[in-house]
């Protein structure tokens, strides 16, 4: 038993080199995904996944029940937190342009166990996000299909089926199955479909904003914070779900033509455009209608109908349908790529990594994702899904922000063991690790103290200690850079070269990322946090009992190249991969 625990502990702390993973993958006989995505396809992949749920589904719920007109600030706060995380994603993607996104990044920094919890959480995020978004489809479809617009708003539950305590949504299930079929055809065709539908959605959003200008009433903003400041932060933790999507771009890195250049541009560009549109749309929503009168199911359509503008209500529904379609499809795409990577590395059954040679798509992973997401969309309410998705997303973003902070202060990514020990004294290393640890702990304490209305002096003391820890890291990085200019704080991520993207204002940017994601996570309800903790504990148990043992046994019988220390050569039948035909 002791020997087994020692092996599990050794594997859990094992750190893999992402650059070596990429090289080994290219040299292996395993079929690869086709490299066909350019910067525009990747940017619209991000826009398609971001724009949709936050505007057309969640803005009504959060404004009506949680924040009132203050939901505008909620979107601003969530957007800033997302942008900080996006900057960290962008730096990681330059040094490590490989499939798997945050899973691959954390594997290179924190070890196998933390990487698995990250991948496990990403699975929760991507699967449930597709299910949550798709459940808003039937309400808007009822408006276009059967004319479900009345003076009091859209017809309720027109296309759903009440069944005891749950309401079945067969339209959402059918939507996910259709999108799964499109994804099975090929990534190039899926990207083209996404781009067209996304352009229609953006056009509808611009039309809605322009149509709302003549009828907005700023008196609807009073009171601006009916639920207080806490309501704003609580809503921001939920609408943060709206910004999920830019991280999906990282999951598709293997299919990017020039990932080192295109991934940072598409990640930051898509989030910037989406954030601007989100804020403008939230302002339009709460000025069109009093927050107490907002219809939770179809907020924009109802608001325009209340002003006698039925035509715009129909256009809103058309845009909503487009946004929901692209957001659902890109979520499914991201999940299939994650399952492919987890299957390759034997965290999950290897059959999930099978890439069909004619379409260059992981068919098994695609259909497993589609069926699971479809069944969830059929039976689970969106409000429950939204908070669960936000918890998983915030945990992943927390790890990415912390990873950039750790890599650039505590660890030299390409000088991992002996050279690290030689470059820094043990005393400096201990101080550095202590500062990083206290940034995490103090971020949690600040959030809890704020939520529980604890003593103001205590809050100030914790905040000052947080600032002091970041300042010490800043001075440490500046001193290290002065001794060795090649080791600038932001140049130590993977294979970064001169001119590559680096996180600005290091270490303040990733430190604020840790603070913001921690606070938003702690702002979720206790029920959601307990559910998320149970989900994560289940993932750890699966890793200890199943994952680590299978990976170790597989490595013992491997004789050829590996990815993340895990051999891939014998996973699948060897086939010539016609990548050139798809590029």
């Amino acid at each position: 038993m002791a020997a087994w625990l020692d092996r599990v502990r050794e594997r859990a702390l094992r750190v893999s080199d992402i650059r070596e993973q990429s090289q080994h993958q290219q040299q292996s006989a395993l079929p690869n995904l086709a490299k066909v995505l350019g910067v525009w396809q990747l940017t619209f992949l991000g826009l398609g996944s971001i724009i949709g749920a936050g505007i057309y589904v969640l803005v009504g719920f959060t404004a009506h029940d949680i924040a009132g007109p203050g939901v505008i600030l909620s979107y601003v706060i969530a957007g800033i937190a997302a942008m900080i995380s996006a900057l960290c994603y962008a730096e990681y993607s330059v040094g490590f342009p490989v499939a798997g996104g945050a899973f691959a990044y954390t594997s290179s920094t924190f070890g196998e166990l933390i990487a698995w919890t990250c991948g496990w959480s990403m699975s929760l995020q991507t699967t449930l996000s597709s299910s949550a978004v798709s459940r808003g489809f039937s309400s808007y479809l009822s408006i276009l299909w059967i004319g479900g617009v009345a003076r009091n708003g859209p017809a309720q539950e027109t296309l759903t089926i009440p069944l005891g305590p749950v309401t079945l949504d067969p339209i959402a299930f059918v939507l996910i199955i259709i999108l799964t079929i499109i994804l099975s055809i090929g990534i190039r065709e899926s990207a083209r479909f996404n781009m067209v539908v996304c352009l229609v959605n953006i056009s509808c959003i611009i039309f809605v904003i322009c149509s709302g200008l003549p009828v907005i009433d700023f008196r609807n903003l009073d009171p601006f914070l009916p639920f207080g400041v806490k309501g704003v932060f609580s809503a921001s933790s939920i609408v943060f779900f709206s910004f999920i999507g830019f991280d999906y771009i990282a999951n598709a890195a293997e299919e990017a033509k020039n990932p080192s250049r295109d991934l940072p541009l598409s990640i930051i560009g898509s989030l910037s455009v989406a954030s601007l549109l989100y804020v403008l749309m939230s302002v339009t929503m709460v000025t069109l209608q009093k927050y107490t009168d907002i219809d939770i199911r179809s907020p924009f359509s109802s608001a325009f109908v209340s002003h006698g503008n039925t035509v715009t209500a129909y256009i809103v529904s058309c845009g909503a349908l487009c946004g929901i379609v692209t957001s659902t499809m890109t979520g499914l795409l991201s999940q299939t790529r994650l399952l492919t990577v987890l299957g390759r590395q034997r965290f999950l059954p290897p059959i999930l990594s099978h890439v069909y040679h004619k379409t260059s798509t992981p068919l098994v992973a695609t259909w497993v994702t589609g069926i699971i997401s479809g069944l969830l969309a059929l039976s689970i309410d969106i409000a429950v899904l939204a908070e669960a998705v936000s918890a998983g997303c915030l945990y992943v973003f927390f790890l990415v922000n912390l990873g950039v902070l750790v890599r650039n202060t505590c660890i030299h990514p390409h000088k991992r063991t002996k050279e690290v020990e030689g470059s820094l004294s043990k005393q400096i290393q201990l101080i550095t690790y202590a500062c990083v640890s206290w940034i995490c702990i103090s971020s949690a304490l600040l959030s809890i103290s704020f939520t529980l209305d604890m003593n103001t002096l205590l809050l100030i003391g914790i905040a000052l200690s947080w600032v002091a820890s970041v300042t010490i890291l800043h001075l440490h990085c500046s001193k290290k850079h002065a001794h060795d200019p090649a080791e600038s704080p932001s140049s130590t991520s993977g294979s970064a070269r001169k001119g590559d993207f680096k996180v600005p204002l290091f270490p303040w940017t990733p430190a604020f990322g840790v603070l913001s994601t921690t606070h938003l996570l702690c702002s979720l309800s206790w029920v959601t946090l307990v559910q998320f903790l149970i989900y994560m504990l289940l993932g750890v148990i699966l890793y200890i009992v199943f994952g680590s043992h299978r990976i170790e046994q597989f490595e013992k019988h491997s004789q050829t190249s590996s990815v993340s220390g895990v051999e891939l050569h014998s996973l699948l039948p060897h086939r010539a991969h016609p990548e050139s035909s798809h590029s």
Side-chain angles (χ1 to χ4, degrees), residues 53-75:
I55 288 300
Y56 297 114
V57 180
L58 287 182
V59 66
F61 166 68
T62 51
H64 185 274
D65 293 342
I66 301 178
V71 74
I72 298 172
L73 297 180
S74 300
Y75 274 101

Side-chain angles (χ1 to χ4, degrees), residues 151-466:
R151 189 68 190 174
N152 295 326
Q156 300 298 314
E157 308 295 346
T158 305
L159 300 178
T160 56
I161 303 173
L163 187 65
V166 300
T167 300
L168 300 182
D169 194 336
I171 299 298
F173 178 80
V174 172
L175 171 66
I176 288 180
I177 296 302
I178 292 175
L179 295 177
T180 301
I181 294 173
I182 295 175
L183 290 172
S184 301
I185 296 174
I187 183 61
R188 176 186 282 126
E189 293 77 10
S190 300
R192 289 172 180 170
F193 175 81
N194 173 73
M195 183 176 293
V196 172
V197 179
C198 189
L199 284 172
V200 175
N201 182 27
I202 293 176
S203 300
C204 291
I205 289 175
I206 295 175
F207 179 85
V208 169
I209 294 173
C210 295
S211 298
L213 289 176
V215 293
I216 59 175
D217 185 356
F218 288 102
R219 290 176 297 180
N220 290 329
L221 296 178
D222 185 28
F224 188 70
L225 299 177
F227 300 96
V229 177
K230 287 184 180 179
V232 171
F233 280 101
S234 296
S236 66
S237 66
I238 296 176
V239 302
F240 192 84
F241 163 58
S242 309
F243 296 89
I244 294 175
F246 68 86
D247 52 317
Y248 292 177
I249 299 174
N251 282 6
E254 186 177 324
E255 293 159 287
K257 295 178 181 178
N258 188 356
S260 296
R261 183 200 67 182
D262 295 345
L263 290 177
L265 290 175
S266 56
I267 289 172
I268 296 174
S270 61
L271 182 61
S272 298
V273 173
S275 299
L276 176 61
L277 293 176
Y278 272 172
V279 173
L280 292 177
M281 286 287 277
S282 63
V283 171
T284 303
M285 179 72 263
V286 295
T287 53
L288 276 176
Q289 200 171 30
K290 191 75 173 178
Y291 79 93
T292 54
D293 299 328
I294 292 176
D295 174 59
I296 296 177
R297 294 285 295 179
S298 302
F300 282 97
S301 296
S302 298
F304 279 106
V305 168
S306 68
H307 287 279
N309 192 342
T310 305
V311 174
T312 303
Y314 279 96
I315 295 177
V316 168
S317 298
C318 180
L321 291 175
C322 292
I324 291 171
V325 166
T326 58
S327 190
T328 302
M329 189 180 76
T330 51
L332 295 172
L333 173 65
S334 178
Q335 175 66 1
T336 60
R337 272 43 181 182
L338 175 62
L339 292 182
T340 301
V341 173
L342 293 175
R344 284 174 177 174
Q345 301 190 20
R346 284 291 175 111
F347 284 95
L348 294 176
I351 189 63
L352 292 172
S353 64
H354 175 58
V355 177
Y356 185 49
H357 66 285
K358 290 186 178 180
T359 60
S360 297
T361 56
L363 286 182
V364 177
T366 298
W367 280 100
V368 167
T369 299
I371 292 173
I372 293 176
S373 298
L375 291 176
L376 289 173
L378 180 67
S379 57
I380 300 181
D381 181 71
I382 185 172
V384 177
L385 294 174
E387 289 204 19
V389 169
S390 290
C393 179
L394 288 168
Y395 174 71
V396 173
F397 284 7
F398 167 80
L399 289 179
V400 172
N401 285 289
L402 181 60
V404 171
L405 190 64
V406 168
R407 292 187 61 81
N408 293 331
T409 57
C410 304
I411 302 173
H412 298 266
H414 49 288
K415 298 181 181 179
R416 289 210 57 92
T417 53
K418 295 182 179 179
E419 296 187 33
V420 171
E421 295 293 335
S423 62
L424 298 172
S425 67
K426 291 185 177 180
Q427 183 179 7
I428 295 297
Q429 289 182 60
L430 289 175
I431 294 175
T432 302
Y433 278 108
C435 288
V436 172
S437 300
W438 182 247
I439 288 173
C440 298
I441 296 172
S442 58
S443 296
L445 292 176
L446 279 172
S447 177
I448 295 173
S449 300
F450 177 81
T451 303
L452 299 179
D453 287 326
M454 298 182 70
N455 188 279
T456 303
L457 292 178
L458 178 61
L459 277 172
I460 295 175
I462 297 173
L464 290 176
S465 68
W466 183 93

